[in-house]
Amino acid sequence: MHRRKFFKQSAFATVGTMLIPSFLKAYESKHLGLNQPVGKTLVIVQLSGGNDGLNTVVPFRNDIYYRERPTIAIAPEKVLKLNDEIGFNPALEALKGLYDDGLVTVVNNVGYPNPDRSHFRSMDIWQTASDSDKYLTTGWLGRYLDANCQGNDCIAHRAIEVDDTLSLALKGQDLNGLALLDPKKLYNQTRSGLVAELSNIKPAAEVVASHPNVSYLYKTLAETASSAEIIYDKSKVTHTKTVYPASELGNRLKTVSELITSGVNTNVYYISISGFDTHINQPGQQERLLRQYAEAVAAFTKDLKTNGKLNDVLLMTFSEFGRRVKQNASNGTDHGTANNLFLIGGGLTPGRVFNEAPNLTNLDEGDLKYTVDFRSIYATLLRDWLKVDDQAVLGRQFETLKVVSRS
Amino acid sequence: MKERVNKQHLFWRAGFGATPAQLREADRQPLRKVVSQLFTDSQAFTPLSVVADDQPDKKELKNRFKEGQLTRDMLKDRIRENRESIRDLNVRWVEQMTSGRAALREKMALFWHGHFACRNQNNVRMVQQYTNLIREKALGNFGDLLMAVSKSPAMLQFLNNQQNRKNAPNENFAREVMELFTLGRANYTEHDIKEAARAFTGWGFNPQGEFVFRRNVHDEGEKTVFGKTGNFQGDDIIKLLLERKETATFVTTKLYRFLVTDEIATDSADQQRISQLADQFYRSGYDTAGLLETIFTSDWFYDPKHIGAHIKSPVELLAGMQHSLGIHFEQKQPILYVQRTLGQVLLYPPNVAGWPGGRNWIDSSSLLFRMKLPDLVLKAGEVTIKPKDDGDVNTALLARKVNRLFASTIDWSTFEKAFQKGSEEHLLDELALYFLPQPLSPSQRNLLLTKVKKEAPRSEQIRTLTALLLSLPEYQLC
């Protein structure tokens, strides 16, 4: 805490003494000048709305599943089998290809104690990594930025959300991630209106001295303009040759891939797609979304392989909760609890089904019980993949999953 | 000039800023008179009403559907209307902040909304009742407000007290009432929560949306809370909470952060003042108006370091901008769109802890959007930023993209009257004094002066400079 505070004050002092340009130039040149390997990259794909896990990874041998879902269950012969018990929804055909190549790990029954069935609250819990009875105002990836910021390396674009607005997950105490839908759009925003001119001028010295929030605003502005320029400069020279599906996720993963190959100093990317709140007529809608998801991820994986990055990038997909075991009266499903999630990439011990299939006989008020705390997944991503101190981010020790290859 | 700056500061913190005409009026009065006028203006209370008190909720509608009184399509429409009514309520409330007379009342209601954060997407009647409750009691006695909110169906539903029964206690309400509404963390034990939850068993509401005490599910046994033992019911626990001095300290600290400064120093005069204010609040039996009056009439409230030390919340930013310039949007969408894009949708707080506020409002994208906002609002600029879809089918409407979203009428002629005299440089200084908490630096001043045409009509100069000043980072502060 003291170190952070010290940094905060010294950063403001720098702004206060009218040194913004050289202060920024210092880290720009550092990052532009060094051809250091960027190391490992984490990509998070959030499925908003509560994806129905039981129709994503189907327990095709389970009578209870078929009994509770008379009109929406997926017939055994259609399921893309992963083992004797479970298999993918047929819409995940492209993902099955990746699974067969050993690139996909399926983790079942992920959740947390005392689950909350509200979208907002449960997403809040996932994004802040809090207990369900605690309220945190910072996100886990924001705290990752806070904890790994040293000297001049404290830059917003170490974590990028491919979107117009920034999720709580990427907001830290001292640092925030950077939201951009595409590098050019952000760059243009920082060149329009007064933004460009203001990011080069200084507020009055006496105001800055007595008003830390003024420094904070100008610092945020200057860093945004600087990051936007760096990212735009780097990204405009890399254009992937891989064809991506023309879906929202396809476009966003394409942007991520181009940023990765451009050598931007970013370790974390975040994307969210929505539409998974399938209370009514679930099958058509969910299959459309799952197909889009699988095809976009397959294109992304192929692209990474072409660029020799497959072993350096890990993609994690989650949703804020799964859905009820029993379907509702509208051919849909209502909010539930524990869910499966996917880890995808070449750096994993050959992909597989990580743990036991959901137990449909031992339910909590009609909902699945979790066996893997989602923060164990985060701990795995932080400690084993990004090689950082997971406890500094999560506040306490969680067991990791032993799915990352030692390389 | 310091006098003028102080009064603007007061109007911003105790409301949503002042129009040039309000400031001219205030110029003629001593500060104490201006403060007492704020209370006078907020005396009257007018409830917001978007639906009748007997509007059926989602559950009731579903029952009617099951009984064949509604077709499936009618049911869907009615449920949608319910949700849209909650948005109407949101917009109507913002209108009160923007152009209502009772600015202080609405400002404090906004504070209590963050303090007693509550959301409910399906029952507009409960939400309306809750909103009017915090508005009505915003300046009254905190104890009364706490008791009323705790017994409001919206809060009981939100914190699951309807499910809190003897033999199957639900601790959610008991926990939050201690952690977030009164004592704050570390001032109670898990045992206190368990026992208090037992006392709250039976607190619920009926289908008419009225509080009921269901004695048959109440745990009549003896409970021990904060070391005191008795056959406590819910009311007793609320009283025990109000007897604890920590409650006064906790609420006063939060209010100080809201009204005085975002950043409370741990070892400073701030702490000493909070402690004195909390003493007063406690001794007065939680008289909110008295506490506010002390704050607004204290010299330290006008310390230059507090002026401009607060980052405006999205609602403060929008309502303030509308109030200054007399802006009325043709549609309700822009009001919702700004809230959504910047992360503060009234009646949809993120969770029971409310909005964290302060620097949490600002990140690269929210700052760029805030700086772009004057262009959207004053020039009906093109909307290019899409707020995130949270995946909930029930809130999707909020994210809808609309062309010419920001079409509005602006009362420029009234505004311009106040800025008729002097050169462009003088005009810039006058406008900066009006819109910003601190004067411009020489380099900012030079930059803005290059943007205004000397030969342009006065009216155009005013509009150009206004748009520029509103897009400065300093305009995010008050």
Side-chain angles (χ1 to χ4, degrees):
Chain A
M1 199 58 207
H2 284 300
R3 186 186 58 78
R4 252 190 244 156
K5 207 171 223 169
F6 168 76
F7 173 73
K8 209 197 271 184
Q9 282 163 355
S10 57
F12 288 138
T14 313
V15 176
T17 49
M18 316 307 166
L19 290 169
I20 300 177
S22 58
F23 162 65
L24 290 173
K25 288 270 152 38
Y27 76 64
E28 273 177 37
S29 56
K30 176 168 179 277
H31 292 288
L32 291 170
L34 285 177
N35 281 325
Q36 59 191 6
V38 288
K40 301 295 186 188
T41 302
L42 172 64
V43 182
I44 309 267
V45 176
Q46 169 185 305
L47 310 180
S48 305
N51 178 40
D52 179 23
L54 286 171
N55 271 21
T56 302
V57 179
V58 182
F60 64 90
R61 283 272 167 80
N62 196 311
D63 295 340
I64 300 171
Y65 167 74
Y66 289 100
R67 190 184 74 214
E68 296 290 8
R69 298 185 161 204
T71 66
I72 66 163
I74 296 169
E77 65 275 13
K78 291 196 179 152
V79 171
L80 309 172
K81 300 182 173 62
L82 304 180
N83 60 26
D84 293 344
E85 283 184 280
I86 59 173
F88 284 149
N89 183 307
L92 291 175
E93 194 184 344
L95 197 68
K96 178 65 166 40
L98 302 181
Y99 182 85
D100 292 340
D101 291 342
L103 299 174
V104 180
T105 295
V106 176
V107 188
N108 290 307
N109 311 314
V110 184
Y112 53 88
N114 304 314
D116 198 298
R117 291 168 183 80
S118 132
H119 292 288
F120 264 67
R121 183 63 193 133
S122 196
M123 193 57 94
D124 218 37
I125 291 165
W126 273 85
Q127 293 205 356
T128 60
S130 75
D131 293 335
S132 70
D133 63 351
K134 302 229 164 60
Y135 303 93
L136 299 181
T137 56
T138 54
W140 71 286
L141 294 168
R143 294 197 300 275
Y144 156 79
L145 291 175
D146 283 343
N148 294 287
C149 138
Q150 276 148 6
N152 285 337
D153 207 18
C154 301
I155 46 176
H157 66 266
R158 279 187 61 141
I160 289 179
E161 176 162 13
V162 186
D163 209 326
D164 275 333
T165 58
L166 192 71
S167 294
L168 178 56
L170 288 88
K171 293 185 186 177
Q173 190 65 47
D174 297 329
L175 283 170
N176 290 317
L178 182 72
L180 63 90
L181 196 52
D182 76 69
K184 184 149 193 248
K185 184 176 178 185
L186 180 69
Y187 179 72
N188 287 341
Q189 276 176 274
T190 61
R191 309 310 300 169
S192 69
L194 279 182
V195 177
E197 285 155 310
L198 282 174
S199 57
N200 287 318
I201 67 162
K202 40 218 170 209
E206 63 276 15
V207 172
V208 167
S210 57
H211 288 79
N213 278 339
V214 175
S215 324
Y216 176 73
L217 292 171
Y218 275 88
K219 181 170 164 282
T220 303
L221 188 65
E223 287 178 358
T224 306
S226 162
S227 285
E229 190 174 357
I230 295 170
I231 293 167
Y232 177 62
D233 278 350
K234 287 203 166 197
S235 70
K236 66 187 175 191
V237 294
T238 49
H239 291 290
T240 178
K241 293 189 182 66
T242 307
V243 179
Y244 281 76
S247 60
E248 188 177 277
L249 181 61
N251 290 331
R252 292 180 187 197
L253 281 174
K254 185 176 170 194
T255 300
V256 171
S257 164
E258 290 178 347
L259 288 172
I260 290 172
T261 38
S262 76
V264 168
N265 188 17
T266 302
N267 301 104
V268 177
Y269 295 91
Y270 205 91
I271 300 176
S272 60
I273 56 170
S274 64
F276 292 89
D277 194 20
T278 50
H279 291 279
I280 301 165
N281 297 332
Q282 174 175 302
Q285 190 183 346
Q286 194 198 19
E287 277 161 29
R288 182 177 55 80
L289 290 166
L290 291 179
R291 179 164 289 112
Q292 278 179 7
Y293 165 79
E295 288 174 356
V297 169
F300 180 63
T301 309
K302 186 178 156 204
D303 202 3
L304 292 175
K305 201 171 174 183
T306 311
N307 293 309
K309 300 273 185 195
L310 191 54
N311 292 342
D312 297 326
V313 179
L314 196 162
L315 184 147
M316 189 272 267
T317 299
F318 78 98
S319 194
E320 72 269 33
F321 45 62
R323 305 186 80 88
R324 284 257 126 125
V325 176
K326 188 179 172 63
Q327 71 170 84
N328 64 23
S330 317
N331 275 335
T333 50
D334 297 325
H335 302 177
T337 51
N339 205 354
N340 43 55
L341 65 71
F342 302 145
L343 299 167
I344 301 168
L348 300 169
T349 52
R352 62 198 156 104
V353 177
F354 175 77
N355 55 350
E356 74 287 356
N359 181 345
L360 304 191
T361 57
N362 180 18
L363 299 178
D364 172 18
E365 295 176 48
D367 285 320
L368 300 175
K369 289 185 179 167
Y370 85 101
T371 57
V372 177
D373 193 300
F374 72 105
R375 289 161 296 187
S376 282
I377 308 279
Y378 290 177
T380 309
L381 300 175
L382 292 164
R383 194 194 315 164
D384 298 347
W385 182 252
L386 294 172
K387 310 273 189 227
V388 297
D389 179 359
D390 53 316
Q391 282 195 64
V393 175
L394 300 175
R396 59 180 201 258
Q397 181 97 41
F398 289 92
E399 226 179 297
T400 62
L401 256 47
K402 314 288 177 284
V403 291
V404 175
S405 324
R406 299 192 186 279
S407 55
Chain B
M1 200 170 93
K2 172 66 180 151
E3 184 80 351
R4 165 60 79 93
V5 170
N6 286 353
K7 283 174 186 164
Q8 290 198 150
H9 175 61
L10 173 66
F11 278 112
W12 262 113
R13 298 299 176 86
F16 302 88
T19 61
Q22 282 174 306
L23 284 175
R24 212 166 40 241
E25 170 93 28
D27 277 346
R28 294 196 289 265
Q29 294 168 340
L31 190 75
R32 274 184 175 278
K33 185 82 205 316
V34 180
V35 171
S36 70
Q37 189 62 39
L38 287 172
F39 286 94
T40 311
D41 288 343
S42 283
Q43 250 163 23
F45 162 68
T46 325
L48 295 173
S49 174
V50 296
V51 291
D53 284 343
D54 56 356
Q55 169 88 4
D57 67 354
K58 187 175 173 182
K59 207 165 146 194
E60 167 69 18
L61 289 169
K62 281 189 161 170
N63 284 338
R64 290 190 192 176
F65 166 67
K66 279 180 196 146
E67 288 162 12
Q69 297 174 27
L70 289 174
T71 65
R72 184 175 281 278
D73 282 347
M74 283 159 74
L75 172 70
K76 263 167 91 177
D77 283 353
R78 296 290 295 276
I79 291 175
R80 201 197 58 225
E81 280 166 27
N82 242 341
R83 289 194 304 264
E84 283 188 4
S85 300
I86 295 178
R87 289 191 258 294
D88 290 341
L89 189 62
N90 172 323
V91 171
R92 294 276 299 281
W93 189 12
V94 174
E95 281 166 8
Q96 287 301 315
M97 296 174 187
T98 303
S99 47
R101 202 174 158 76
L104 176 58
R105 174 183 294 283
E106 305 305 344
K107 188 63 174 277
M108 283 305 293
L110 180 61
F111 171 74
W112 295 123
H113 183 35
H115 183 76
F116 295 113
C118 180
R119 55 188 289 158
N120 177 323
Q121 296 183 36
N122 299 313
N123 193 320
V124 59
R125 197 179 55 194
M126 283 187 198
V127 178
Q128 179 173 291
Q129 189 186 33
Y130 157 86
T131 309
N132 284 327
L133 196 160
I134 54 173
R135 292 178 60 245
E136 184 187 354
K137 300 192 186 300
L139 300 170
N141 180 283
F142 171 74
D144 292 346
L145 176 63
L146 173 67
M147 188 71 88
V149 169
S150 300
K151 288 184 170 177
S152 70
M155 190 60 86
L156 290 168
Q157 148 99 22
F158 184 53
L159 296 180
N160 313 104
N161 211 68
Q162 192 82 331
Q163 288 90 47
N164 184 15
R165 294 150 189 270
K166 184 182 179 177
N167 302 330
N170 184 309
E171 294 169 8
N172 202 8
F173 177 75
R175 179 180 302 280
E176 306 312 359
V177 80
M178 291 189 201
E179 179 182 334
L180 298 168
F181 300 167
T182 58
L183 299 172
R185 242 182 231 183
N187 292 315
Y188 53 87
T189 64
E190 285 297 312
H191 182 74
D192 291 329
I193 290 175
K194 279 198 168 53
E195 294 281 286
R198 290 176 54 218
F200 286 117
T201 51
W203 272 27
F205 53 90
N206 63 20
Q208 289 75 47
E210 296 154 349
F211 173 81
V212 286
F213 176 57
R214 296 166 299 167
R215 193 170 287 279
N216 58 329
V217 294
H218 176 68
D219 181 340
E220 303 276 359
E222 212 166 62
K223 301 109 187 161
T224 302
V225 182
F226 312 135
K228 293 185 180 159
T229 305
N231 292 78
F232 298 134
Q233 296 186 358
D235 292 60
D236 302 315
I237 304 297
I238 299 289
K239 281 176 202 140
L240 287 177
L241 288 168
L242 290 168
E243 278 170 21
R244 298 274 306 269
K245 179 78 187 296
E246 291 92 335
T247 295
T249 306
F250 181 71
V251 176
T252 305
T253 307
K254 228 166 148 179
L255 191 60
Y256 191 88
R257 191 184 308 272
F258 184 78
L259 292 174
V260 184
T261 180
D262 284 1
E263 311 261 319
I264 299 177
T266 45
D267 52 351
S268 71
D270 287 337
Q271 294 299 333
Q272 207 184 331
R273 279 177 208 137
I274 289 170
S275 150
Q276 284 168 1
L277 292 168
D279 276 344
Q280 175 193 334
F281 197 34
Y282 187 71
R283 278 198 317 266
S284 71
Y286 296 96
D287 172 16
T288 305
L291 181 64
L292 294 176
E293 199 178 345
T294 303
I295 293 173
F296 296 146
T297 53
S298 293
D299 286 344
W300 51 254
F301 178 71
Y302 300 94
D303 185 326
K305 78 173 185 204
H306 294 322
I307 296 177
H310 172 72
I311 297 178
K312 293 173 191 167
S313 77
V315 168
E316 289 170 327
L317 176 72
L318 180 67
M321 200 183 281
Q322 286 187 262
H323 181 69
S324 293
L325 296 166
I327 299 168
H328 289 278
F329 296 111
E330 288 171 15
Q331 319 175 67
K332 66 184 170 193
Q333 275 86 355
I335 293 175
L336 298 167
Y337 169 80
V338 172
Q339 293 179 42
R340 177 98 190 198
T341 305
L342 290 176
Q344 186 185 33
V345 184
L346 293 181
L347 312 179
Y348 291 85
N351 55 54
V352 62
W355 295 276
R359 290 185 185 177
N360 254 282
W361 295 126
I362 303 295
D363 58 64
S364 57
S365 39
S366 69
L367 181 58
L368 289 177
F369 183 79
R370 281 168 175 249
M371 292 172 70
K372 173 83 180 162
L373 187 60
D375 181 48
L376 298 178
V377 171
L378 302 182
K379 301 171 191 163
E382 190 194 347
V383 171
T384 57
I385 299 299
K386 191 167 168 274
K388 232 183 276 305
D389 190 342
D390 59 28
D392 181 345
V393 284
N394 294 326
T395 56
L397 259 179
L398 279 181
R400 201 166 52 185
K401 191 173 163 180
V402 185
N403 283 332
R404 289 272 307 153
L405 185 69
F406 279 91
S408 66
T409 56
I410 301 176
D411 188 3
W412 281 113
S413 62
T414 304
F415 181 77
E416 286 165 7
K417 271 186 208 137
F419 301 97
Q420 289 307 319
K421 290 190 207 107
S423 62
E424 306 93 57
E425 295 203 18
H426 178 74
L427 173 62
L428 174 59
D429 294 334
E430 284 291 303
L431 285 168
L433 175 65
Y434 174 66
F435 282 119
L436 306 178
Q438 281 100 16
L440 293 167
S441 72
S443 49
Q444 286 173 318
R445 199 165 173 273
N446 290 338
L447 172 65
L448 298 189
L449 282 172
T450 61
K451 309 279 176 183
V452 51
K453 294 196 199 84
K454 276 192 161 45
E455 67 281 8
R458 189 72 167 183
S459 164
E460 189 188 314
Q461 292 179 338
I462 291 174
R463 293 176 196 200
T464 304
L465 287 171
T466 296
L468 291 167
L469 288 166
L470 296 190
S471 62
L472 288 177
E474 284 86 345
Y475 187 68
Q476 311 311 318
L477 303 167
C478 73

